[in-house]
Amino acid sequence: MPIYEYLCTSCGHMFEDVRPASQADDPEECPKCGKKKTERLMSAFATCGGGPGGSSSSCGSGGFS
């Protein structure tokens, strides 16, 4: 199951939850305040090279050549 990131619009707490993709946009209870006023966040992911000015050297080789 995927990991999703959420933001509680009531208290501002950010948290992650593992849940089925079919429930990704359903309101999730905030573990800090207990309210179901949450929004799913767009997760950031790392990219290496390929873009203007990008350099694969910042990604490392992971021990492989």
Side-chain angles (χ1 to χ4, degrees):
M1 277 192 278
I3 298 172
Y4 295 99
E5 295 176 334
Y6 295 90
L7 171 67
C8 178
T9 59
S10 183
C11 72
H13 181 66
M14 289 180 23
F15 61 98
E16 296 177 342
D17 192 24
V18 177
R19 56 195 322 201
S22 62
Q23 297 175 1
D25 291 322
D26 293 349
E28 179 64 15
E29 184 175 306
C30 175
K32 186 173 181 180
C33 72
K35 295 183 180 175
K36 284 197 169 192
K37 295 185 176 185
T38 56
E39 294 179 356
R40 185 169 59 111
L41 300 175
M42 183 64 66
S43 297
F45 60 93
T47 60
C48 299
S55 169
S56 62
S57 64
S58 63
C59 296
S61 63
F64 299 101
S65 301

